[in-house]
Coordinates of all heavy atoms in Angstrom, one line a residue:
M1 N -7.7 119.0 -62.6 CA -7.8 118.6 -64.0 C -7.3 119.8 -64.8 O -7.7 120.9 -64.7 CB -9.2 118.2 -64.3 CG -9.4 117.7 -65.7 SD -11.2 117.3 -65.9 CE -11.1 115.6 -66.3
A2 N -6.4 119.5 -65.7 CA -5.8 120.5 -66.6 C -6.8 121.0 -67.6 O -7.6 120.2 -68.2 CB -4.6 120.0 -67.3
K3 N -6.8 122.3 -67.9 CA -7.7 122.8 -68.9 C -7.2 122.4 -70.3 O -6.0 122.6 -70.6 CB -7.7 124.4 -68.8 CG -8.7 125.0 -69.7 CD -8.7 126.5 -69.5 CE -9.7 127.1 -70.5 NZ -9.8 128.6 -70.4
K4 N -8.1 121.9 -71.1 CA -7.7 121.4 -72.4 C -7.8 122.6 -73.4 O -8.8 123.3 -73.5 CB -8.7 120.4 -72.9 CG -8.3 119.6 -74.1 CD -9.3 118.5 -74.3 CE -8.7 117.5 -75.4 NZ -9.7 116.4 -75.6
S5 N -6.7 122.9 -74.1 CA -6.7 124.0 -75.0 C -6.8 123.5 -76.4 O -6.3 122.4 -76.8 CB -5.4 124.8 -74.9 OG -4.3 124.0 -75.3
R6 N -7.5 124.2 -77.2 CA -7.7 123.9 -78.6 C -6.6 124.5 -79.4 O -6.2 125.7 -79.2 CB -9.0 124.4 -79.2 CG -10.2 123.7 -78.6 CD -11.4 124.2 -79.2 NE -12.6 123.4 -78.8 CZ -13.7 123.4 -79.4 NH1 -13.9 124.1 -80.4 NH2 -14.7 122.6 -78.9
R7 N -6.2 123.9 -80.5 CA -5.2 124.4 -81.4 C -5.9 124.9 -82.6 O -6.6 124.1 -83.3 CB -4.1 123.4 -81.7 CG -3.3 123.0 -80.5 CD -2.2 122.0 -80.9 NE -1.5 121.6 -79.7 CZ -0.2 121.5 -79.6 NH1 0.5 121.9 -80.6 NH2 0.3 121.1 -78.5
Y8 N -5.7 126.1 -83.0 CA -6.2 126.7 -84.2 C -5.1 127.1 -85.1 O -4.0 127.4 -84.7 CB -7.1 127.9 -83.8 CG -8.3 127.6 -83.1 CD1 -8.4 127.8 -81.7 CD2 -9.5 127.2 -83.7 CE1 -9.5 127.5 -81.0 CE2 -10.6 126.9 -83.0 CZ -10.6 127.0 -81.6 OH -11.8 126.8 -80.9
D9 N -5.4 127.1 -86.4 CA -4.5 127.5 -87.4 C -4.2 129.0 -87.2 O -5.1 129.8 -87.0 CB -5.1 127.2 -88.8 CG -4.1 127.4 -89.9 OD1 -3.5 128.5 -90.0 OD2 -3.8 126.4 -90.6
K10 N -2.9 129.3 -87.2 CA -2.5 130.7 -86.9 C -3.1 131.7 -87.9 O -3.3 132.9 -87.7 CB -1.0 130.9 -86.9 CG -0.4 130.2 -85.7 CD 1.1 130.3 -85.7 CE 1.7 129.6 -84.5 NZ 3.1 129.6 -84.5
R11 N -3.4 131.2 -89.1 CA -3.9 132.0 -90.2 C -5.3 132.6 -89.8 O -5.7 133.6 -90.3 CB -4.0 131.3 -91.5 CG -2.6 130.9 -92.0 CD -2.7 130.1 -93.2 NE -3.2 128.7 -92.9 CZ -3.2 127.7 -93.7 NH1 -2.8 127.9 -95.0 NH2 -3.6 126.5 -93.4
L12 N -6.0 131.9 -88.9 CA -7.3 132.4 -88.5 C -7.2 133.7 -87.6 O -8.2 134.4 -87.5 CB -8.1 131.3 -87.7 CG -8.5 130.1 -88.5 CD1 -9.1 129.1 -87.6 CD2 -9.5 130.5 -89.6
S13 N -6.1 133.9 -87.0 CA -5.9 135.1 -86.1 C -6.1 136.4 -86.8 O -6.4 137.4 -86.2 CB -4.6 135.0 -85.4 OG -3.5 135.2 -86.3
A14 N -6.0 136.4 -88.1 CA -6.3 137.7 -88.9 C -7.7 138.2 -88.6 O -8.0 139.4 -88.6 CB -6.1 137.5 -90.4
A15 N -8.6 137.3 -88.4 CA -10.0 137.7 -88.1 C -10.2 138.5 -86.9 O -11.1 139.3 -86.8 CB -10.9 136.4 -88.1
K16 N -9.3 138.3 -85.9 CA -9.3 139.1 -84.7 C -9.1 140.6 -84.9 O -9.5 141.4 -84.1 CB -8.3 138.6 -83.7 CG -8.5 137.2 -83.2 CD -7.5 136.8 -82.3 CE -7.7 135.4 -81.7 NZ -6.6 135.0 -80.8
K17 N -8.6 141.0 -86.1 CA -8.3 142.4 -86.4 C -9.3 143.0 -87.4 O -9.0 144.0 -87.9 CB -6.9 142.5 -86.9 CG -5.8 142.1 -85.8 CD -4.4 142.3 -86.3 CE -3.5 141.8 -85.2 NZ -2.1 142.0 -85.5
M18 N -10.4 142.3 -87.6 CA -11.4 142.8 -88.6 C -12.0 144.1 -88.0 O -12.4 144.1 -86.9 CB -12.4 141.7 -88.9 CG -13.4 142.2 -89.9 SD -14.7 141.0 -90.2 CE -15.8 141.3 -88.9
P19 N -12.1 145.1 -88.8 CA -12.7 146.3 -88.3 C -14.2 146.2 -88.3 O -14.8 145.2 -88.9 CB -12.3 147.4 -89.4 CG -12.1 146.6 -90.6 CD -11.5 145.2 -90.2
P20 N -15.0 147.1 -87.7 CA -16.4 147.0 -87.7 C -17.0 147.1 -89.1 O -16.7 148.0 -89.8 CB -16.9 148.2 -86.9 CG -15.7 148.6 -86.1 CD -14.5 148.2 -86.9
L21 N -17.7 146.1 -89.6 CA -18.3 146.1 -90.9 C -19.7 145.6 -90.9 O -20.1 144.8 -90.0 CB -17.4 145.1 -91.8 CG -16.0 145.5 -92.0 CD1 -15.2 144.3 -92.7 CD2 -15.8 146.7 -92.8
C22 N -20.5 146.0 -91.8 CA -21.9 145.6 -92.0 C -22.0 144.5 -93.0 O -21.3 144.5 -94.0 CB -22.8 146.7 -92.4 SG -22.9 148.1 -91.2
R23 N -22.9 143.6 -92.8 CA -23.2 142.5 -93.8 C -24.3 143.0 -94.7 O -24.4 142.5 -95.8 CB -23.6 141.2 -93.1 CG -22.4 140.7 -92.3 CD -22.4 139.2 -92.0 NE -22.2 138.5 -93.2 CZ -22.6 137.2 -93.4 NH1 -23.1 136.6 -92.4 NH2 -22.4 136.6 -94.5
T24 N -25.2 143.9 -94.2 CA -26.2 144.5 -95.0 C -26.2 146.0 -94.8 O -25.9 146.5 -93.7 CB -27.6 143.9 -94.7 OG1 -27.9 144.2 -93.3 CG2 -27.7 142.4 -94.9
Q25 N -26.7 146.7 -95.8 CA -26.8 148.1 -95.7 C -28.2 148.4 -95.0 O -29.1 147.7 -95.2 CB -26.8 148.8 -97.1 CG -25.4 148.6 -97.8 CD -24.3 149.3 -97.0 OE1 -24.4 150.4 -96.5 NE2 -23.2 148.5 -96.9
P26 N -28.2 149.4 -94.2 CA -29.5 149.7 -93.5 C -30.7 149.9 -94.5 O -30.5 150.6 -95.5 CB -29.2 151.1 -92.8 CG -27.7 151.1 -92.6 CD -27.2 150.4 -93.8
G27 N -31.7 149.2 -94.2 CA -32.9 149.2 -95.0 C -32.9 148.4 -96.3 O -33.8 148.4 -97.1
M28 N -31.8 147.7 -96.5 CA -31.6 146.9 -97.7 C -31.7 145.4 -97.4 O -31.3 145.0 -96.3 CB -30.3 147.2 -98.4 CG -30.1 148.7 -98.8 SD -31.2 149.2 -100.1 CE -30.4 148.5 -101.5
G29 N -32.0 144.6 -98.3 CA -32.0 143.1 -98.1 C -30.5 142.6 -98.3 O -29.7 143.4 -98.8
Y30 N -30.3 141.4 -97.9 CA -29.0 140.9 -97.9 C -28.6 140.4 -99.4 O -29.4 139.8 -100.0 CB -28.8 139.7 -97.0 CG -27.4 139.0 -97.1 CD1 -26.3 139.6 -96.5 CD2 -27.2 137.9 -97.9 CE1 -25.1 139.1 -96.6 CE2 -26.0 137.3 -98.0 CZ -24.9 137.9 -97.4 OH -23.6 137.4 -97.5
E31 N -27.4 140.8 -99.8 CA -26.9 140.4 -101.1 C -25.4 140.1 -100.9 O -24.7 141.0 -100.4 CB -27.1 141.5 -102.2 CG -28.5 141.7 -102.5 CD -28.7 142.8 -103.6 OE1 -27.8 143.0 -104.4 OE2 -29.8 143.3 -103.7
T32 N -24.9 139.0 -101.3 CA -23.5 138.6 -101.1 C -22.6 139.6 -101.7 O -21.5 139.9 -101.1 CB -23.2 137.2 -101.6 OG1 -23.6 137.1 -102.9 CG2 -23.9 136.1 -100.8
Q33 N -22.9 140.2 -102.8 CA -21.9 141.1 -103.5 C -21.8 142.4 -102.7 O -20.9 143.2 -102.9 CB -22.3 141.4 -104.9 CG -23.6 142.1 -105.1 CD -24.8 141.2 -105.4 OE1 -24.8 140.0 -105.0 NE2 -25.8 141.7 -106.0
N34 N -22.7 142.7 -101.8 CA -22.6 143.9 -100.9 C -22.2 143.6 -99.5 O -22.2 144.5 -98.7 CB -24.0 144.6 -100.9 CG -24.4 145.1 -102.3 OD1 -23.5 145.5 -103.1 ND2 -25.7 145.2 -102.6
D35 N -21.8 142.4 -99.2 CA -21.5 142.0 -97.9 C -20.0 142.4 -97.6 O -19.1 141.9 -98.1 CB -21.6 140.4 -97.7 CG -21.4 139.9 -96.3 OD1 -20.5 140.5 -95.6 OD2 -22.1 139.0 -96.0
R36 N -19.9 143.4 -96.8 CA -18.5 144.0 -96.5 C -17.7 143.0 -95.7 O -16.5 143.0 -95.8 CB -18.7 145.3 -95.7 CG -19.5 146.4 -96.4 CD -18.8 147.4 -97.2 NE -17.5 147.8 -96.8 CZ -17.3 148.9 -96.1 NH1 -18.2 149.7 -95.6 NH2 -16.0 149.2 -95.8
V37 N -18.3 142.2 -94.9 CA -17.5 141.2 -94.1 C -16.9 140.2 -95.0 O -15.7 139.9 -94.9 CB -18.4 140.5 -93.0 CG1 -17.7 139.4 -92.3 CG2 -18.9 141.5 -92.0
L38 N -17.7 139.6 -95.9 CA -17.2 138.6 -96.9 C -16.1 139.3 -97.8 O -15.1 138.6 -98.1 CB -18.3 138.1 -97.7 CG -19.3 137.1 -97.1 CD1 -20.3 136.6 -98.1 CD2 -18.6 136.0 -96.4
D39 N -16.3 140.5 -98.1 CA -15.3 141.2 -98.9 C -14.0 141.3 -98.2 O -12.9 141.1 -98.7 CB -15.8 142.6 -99.3 CG -14.9 143.3 -100.3 OD1 -14.5 142.7 -101.3 OD2 -14.5 144.5 -100.0
W40 N -14.1 141.7 -96.9 CA -12.9 141.8 -96.1 C -12.2 140.5 -95.9 O -10.9 140.4 -96.1 CB -13.2 142.4 -94.7 CG -12.0 142.7 -93.9 CD1 -11.2 143.8 -93.8 CD2 -11.4 141.7 -92.9 NE1 -10.2 143.6 -92.9 CE2 -10.3 142.4 -92.4 CE3 -11.7 140.5 -92.5 CZ2 -9.5 141.8 -91.4 CZ3 -10.9 139.8 -91.6 CH2 -9.8 140.5 -91.0
V41 N -12.9 139.4 -95.6 CA -12.4 138.1 -95.4 C -11.7 137.7 -96.7 O -10.6 137.1 -96.7 CB -13.4 137.1 -95.0 CG1 -12.9 135.7 -95.1 CG2 -13.9 137.4 -93.6
G42 N -12.3 137.9 -97.9 CA -11.7 137.5 -99.1 C -10.4 138.2 -99.5 O -9.6 137.7 -100.3
H43 N -10.2 139.3 -98.9 CA -8.9 140.1 -99.1 C -7.8 139.7 -98.1 O -6.7 140.3 -98.1 CB -9.2 141.6 -99.1 CG -9.8 142.0 -100.4 ND1 -11.2 142.0 -100.6 CD2 -9.3 142.4 -101.6 CE1 -11.5 142.4 -101.8 NE2 -10.3 142.7 -102.4
Q44 N -8.1 138.8 -97.2 CA -7.1 138.4 -96.2 C -6.4 137.2 -96.7 O -7.0 136.1 -96.6 CB -7.8 138.2 -94.8 CG -8.6 139.4 -94.3 CD -7.8 140.7 -94.4 OE1 -6.7 140.8 -93.8 NE2 -8.4 141.7 -95.0
H45 N -5.2 137.3 -97.1 CA -4.5 136.2 -97.8 C -4.4 135.0 -96.9 O -4.7 133.9 -97.4 CB -3.1 136.7 -98.1 CG -2.3 135.7 -98.9 ND1 -2.6 135.4 -100.2 CD2 -1.2 135.0 -98.6 CE1 -1.7 134.5 -100.6 NE2 -0.9 134.2 -99.7
G46 N -4.1 135.1 -95.6 CA -4.1 134.0 -94.7 C -5.4 133.2 -94.6 O -5.4 132.0 -94.6
L47 N -6.5 134.0 -94.5 CA -7.8 133.3 -94.3 C -8.2 132.6 -95.6 O -8.7 131.5 -95.5 CB -8.8 134.4 -94.0 CG -8.8 135.0 -92.6 CD1 -9.8 136.1 -92.4 CD2 -8.9 133.9 -91.5
T48 N -7.9 133.2 -96.8 CA -8.3 132.5 -98.0 C -7.5 131.2 -98.2 O -8.0 130.2 -98.7 CB -8.3 133.4 -99.2 OG1 -7.0 134.0 -99.3 CG2 -9.3 134.5 -99.1
L49 N -6.2 131.3 -97.9 CA -5.3 130.1 -98.0 C -5.8 129.0 -97.0 O -5.8 127.9 -97.3 CB -3.9 130.5 -97.7 CG -3.1 131.2 -98.8 CD1 -1.7 131.5 -98.4 CD2 -3.1 130.3 -100.1
Y50 N -6.2 129.5 -95.8 CA -6.7 128.5 -94.8 C -7.9 127.8 -95.3 O -8.0 126.6 -95.3 CB -7.0 129.2 -93.5 CG -7.7 128.3 -92.5 CD1 -7.0 127.3 -91.8 CD2 -9.1 128.4 -92.4 CE1 -7.7 126.4 -91.0 CE2 -9.7 127.5 -91.5 CZ -9.0 126.6 -90.8 OH -9.7 125.7 -90.0
L51 N -8.8 128.5 -95.9 CA -10.1 127.9 -96.5 C -9.7 126.9 -97.6 O -10.2 125.8 -97.6 CB -11.0 129.0 -97.0 CG -12.3 128.5 -97.6 CD1 -13.1 127.6 -96.6 CD2 -13.1 129.6 -98.1
F52 N -8.8 127.4 -98.5 CA -8.4 126.5 -99.6 C -7.8 125.2 -99.0 O -8.1 124.1 -99.4 CB -7.4 127.2 -100.5 CG -6.9 126.3 -101.6 CD1 -7.7 126.2 -102.8 CD2 -5.7 125.7 -101.5 CE1 -7.3 125.4 -103.8 CE2 -5.3 124.8 -102.6 CZ -6.1 124.7 -103.7
D53 N -6.8 125.3 -98.1 CA -6.2 124.2 -97.5 C -7.2 123.3 -96.8 O -7.1 122.0 -96.9 CB -5.1 124.6 -96.5 CG -3.9 125.2 -97.2 OD1 -3.7 125.0 -98.4 OD2 -3.1 125.8 -96.5
L54 N -8.2 123.9 -96.1 CA -9.2 123.1 -95.4 C -10.0 122.2 -96.4 O -10.2 121.0 -96.2 CB -10.1 124.0 -94.6 CG -11.3 123.3 -93.9 CD1 -10.8 122.3 -92.8 CD2 -12.1 124.4 -93.2
I55 N -10.6 122.9 -97.5 CA -11.4 122.1 -98.4 C -10.6 121.1 -99.2 O -11.1 120.0 -99.5 CB -12.2 123.0 -99.3 CG1 -11.4 123.9 -100.2 CG2 -13.2 123.8 -98.5 CD1 -12.1 124.8 -101.2
K56 N -9.3 121.4 -99.4 CA -8.4 120.4 -100.0 C -8.2 119.2 -99.1 O -8.4 118.0 -99.4 CB -7.1 121.0 -100.4 CG -6.1 120.1 -101.0 CD -4.8 120.8 -101.4 CE -4.0 121.2 -100.2 NZ -2.7 121.7 -100.5
R57 N -7.9 119.5 -97.8 CA -7.7 118.4 -96.8 C -8.9 117.6 -96.6 O -8.8 116.4 -96.4 CB -7.2 119.0 -95.5 CG -6.8 118.0 -94.5 CD -6.2 118.6 -93.2 NE -7.3 119.1 -92.4 CZ -7.5 120.4 -92.0 NH1 -6.6 121.3 -92.3 NH2 -8.5 120.7 -91.3
L58 N -10.1 118.2 -96.6 CA -11.4 117.5 -96.4 C -11.7 116.6 -97.6 O -12.6 115.8 -97.6 CB -12.5 118.4 -96.1 CG -12.4 119.1 -94.7 CD1 -13.5 120.2 -94.6 CD2 -12.5 118.1 -93.6
G59 N -11.0 116.8 -98.8 CA -11.3 116.1 -100.0 C -12.4 116.6 -100.8 O -12.9 115.9 -101.6
Y60 N -12.8 117.9 -100.6 CA -13.9 118.5 -101.3 C -13.4 118.9 -102.7 O -14.3 119.1 -103.6 CB -14.5 119.7 -100.6 CG -15.2 119.3 -99.3 CD1 -15.3 118.0 -98.9 CD2 -15.8 120.3 -98.6 CE1 -16.0 117.7 -97.7 CE2 -16.6 120.0 -97.4 CZ -16.6 118.7 -97.0 OH -17.3 118.4 -95.9
I61 N -12.2 119.2 -102.9 CA -11.6 119.5 -104.1 C -10.4 118.6 -104.4 O -9.7 118.2 -103.5 CB -11.2 121.0 -104.3 CG1 -10.1 121.4 -103.2 CG2 -12.4 121.9 -104.1 CD1 -9.6 122.8 -103.3
V62 N -10.1 118.4 -105.7 CA -9.0 117.6 -106.1 C -8.3 118.2 -107.2 O -8.8 119.0 -108.0 CB -9.5 116.1 -106.5 CG1 -10.0 115.4 -105.3 CG2 -10.5 116.2 -107.6
Y63 N -7.0 117.9 -107.4 CA -6.1 118.4 -108.4 C -5.8 117.4 -109.4 O -5.4 116.2 -109.1 CB -4.9 118.9 -107.8 CG -3.9 119.6 -108.7 CD1 -4.2 120.8 -109.3 CD2 -2.7 119.0 -109.1 CE1 -3.4 121.4 -110.2 CE2 -1.8 119.6 -110.0 CZ -2.2 120.8 -110.5 OH -1.3 121.4 -111.4
D64 N -6.0 117.7 -110.7 CA -5.7 116.8 -111.8 C -4.3 117.3 -112.3 O -4.2 118.3 -112.9 CB -6.8 116.9 -112.9 CG -6.5 116.0 -114.0 OD1 -5.4 115.7 -114.4 OD2 -7.5 115.5 -114.6
E65 N -3.3 116.4 -112.1 CA -2.0 116.8 -112.5 C -1.8 116.9 -114.0 O -1.1 117.7 -114.5 CB -0.9 115.8 -112.0 CG -0.8 116.0 -110.5 CD 0.4 115.1 -109.9 OE1 1.3 114.8 -110.7 OE2 0.3 114.8 -108.7
E66 N -2.6 116.1 -114.7 CA -2.5 116.1 -116.2 C -3.0 117.4 -116.8 O -2.4 118.1 -117.6 CB -3.3 115.0 -116.8 CG -3.2 114.8 -118.3 CD -3.9 113.6 -118.8 OE1 -3.8 112.5 -118.2 OE2 -4.7 113.8 -119.8
T67 N -4.2 117.9 -116.3 CA -4.8 119.2 -116.8 C -4.3 120.4 -116.0 O -4.6 121.5 -116.4 CB -6.3 119.1 -116.8 OG1 -6.7 118.9 -115.4 CG2 -6.8 118.0 -117.7
Q68 N -3.8 120.1 -114.8 CA -3.4 121.2 -113.9 C -4.6 122.0 -113.5 O -4.5 123.3 -113.4 CB -2.2 122.0 -114.4 CG -1.0 121.2 -114.7 CD 0.1 122.1 -115.3 OE1 0.0 123.2 -115.7 NE2 1.3 121.5 -115.2
I69 N -5.7 121.4 -113.2 CA -6.9 122.1 -112.8 C -7.5 121.5 -111.5 O -7.4 120.3 -111.3 CB -8.0 121.9 -113.9 CG1 -7.5 122.7 -115.2 CG2 -9.4 122.4 -113.5 CD1 -8.5 122.6 -116.3
W70 N -7.9 122.3 -110.6 CA -8.6 121.9 -109.4 C -10.1 121.9 -109.7 O -10.6 122.7 -110.5 CB -8.4 123.0 -108.3 CG -7.0 123.0 -107.8 CD1 -6.0 123.7 -108.2 CD2 -6.5 122.2 -106.7 NE1 -4.9 123.5 -107.5 CE2 -5.2 122.5 -106.5 CE3 -7.1 121.2 -105.8 CZ2 -4.4 122.0 -105.5 CZ3 -6.3 120.7 -104.9 CH2 -5.0 121.0 -104.7
Q71 N -10.8 121.0 -109.1 CA -12.3 120.9 -109.2 C -12.9 120.2 -108.1 O -12.3 119.5 -107.3 CB -12.7 120.3 -110.5 CG -12.6 118.8 -110.6 CD -13.1 118.2 -111.9 OE1 -12.7 118.7 -113.0 NE2 -13.9 117.2 -111.8
G72 N -14.2 120.5 -107.8 CA -14.9 119.9 -106.8 C -15.2 118.4 -107.1 O -15.3 118.0 -108.2
V73 N -15.2 117.6 -106.0 CA -15.3 116.1 -106.3 C -16.7 115.8 -106.8 O -16.8 114.7 -107.5 CB -15.1 115.3 -105.0 CG1 -13.6 115.5 -104.6 CG2 -16.0 115.7 -103.9
D74 N -17.7 116.6 -106.6 CA -19.0 116.3 -107.1 C -19.4 117.1 -108.4 O -20.5 117.1 -108.9 CB -20.1 116.7 -106.1 CG -20.0 115.7 -104.9 OD1 -19.5 114.6 -105.0 OD2 -20.5 116.1 -103.8
Y75 N -18.3 117.7 -109.0 CA -18.6 118.5 -110.2 C -19.0 117.6 -111.3 O -18.4 116.5 -111.6 CB -17.3 119.2 -110.6 CG -17.4 119.9 -112.0 CD1 -18.1 121.1 -112.1 CD2 -16.9 119.4 -113.1 CE1 -18.2 121.8 -113.3 CE2 -17.0 120.0 -114.3 CZ -17.6 121.2 -114.4 OH -17.8 121.8 -115.6
E76 N -20.1 118.0 -112.0 CA -20.5 117.2 -113.2 C -20.2 117.9 -114.5 O -20.5 119.1 -114.6 CB -22.0 116.9 -113.1 CG -22.4 116.1 -111.9 CD -23.9 115.8 -111.8 OE1 -24.6 116.0 -112.8 OE2 -24.3 115.4 -110.7
K77 N -19.6 117.2 -115.4 CA -19.2 117.9 -116.6 C -20.4 118.4 -117.4 O -21.4 117.7 -117.5 CB -18.4 116.9 -117.5 CG -17.1 116.6 -116.9 CD -16.2 115.7 -117.8 CE -14.9 115.4 -117.1 NZ -14.0 114.6 -117.9
G78 N -20.3 119.6 -117.8 CA -21.5 120.2 -118.6 C -21.0 120.7 -119.9 O -20.8 119.9 -120.8
D79 N -20.7 122.0 -119.9 CA -20.3 122.6 -121.2 C -18.8 122.6 -121.4 O -18.4 123.3 -122.3 CB -20.9 124.0 -121.3 CG -20.4 124.9 -120.1 OD1 -19.7 124.4 -119.3 OD2 -20.8 126.1 -120.1
G80 N -18.1 121.9 -120.7 CA -16.6 121.8 -120.9 C -15.8 122.9 -120.2 O -14.6 122.8 -120.2
K81 N -16.5 123.9 -119.6 CA -15.8 124.9 -118.8 C -15.4 124.4 -117.4 O -16.2 123.6 -116.8 CB -16.6 126.1 -118.7 CG -17.0 126.8 -120.0 CD -17.8 128.0 -119.8 CE -18.2 128.6 -121.1 NZ -19.1 129.7 -121.0
P82 N -14.2 124.7 -116.9 CA -13.8 124.2 -115.6 C -14.6 124.9 -114.5 O -14.5 124.5 -113.3 CB -12.3 124.6 -115.5 CG -12.1 125.7 -116.5 CD -13.2 125.5 -117.6
W83 N -15.4 125.9 -114.7 CA -16.3 126.5 -113.7 C -17.6 126.9 -114.2 O -17.8 127.0 -115.4 CB -15.6 127.7 -113.0 CG -15.1 128.7 -114.0 CD1 -15.8 129.8 -114.5 CD2 -13.8 128.8 -114.6 NE1 -15.1 130.5 -115.4 CE2 -13.8 129.9 -115.4 CE3 -12.7 128.1 -114.5 CZ2 -12.8 130.3 -116.2 CZ3 -11.6 128.4 -115.3 CH2 -11.6 129.5 -116.1

């Protein structure tokens, strides 16, 4: 029986070269703004494009051609700001 291989988007391969990083500082609680892993991922162009393409393909965000704005499908209008 042949081994079944999975196909992954090539943009994910950038993660294989991530240097050693901490998600929390020793003795400190977790805070997203101090997460070095998330910071590194956010600066990897291919990974951020992959995430954008994924949530677009899943239908979680939509583009309004008239306003030229992207938004989440469950966004509820509030104060008129797009975010």
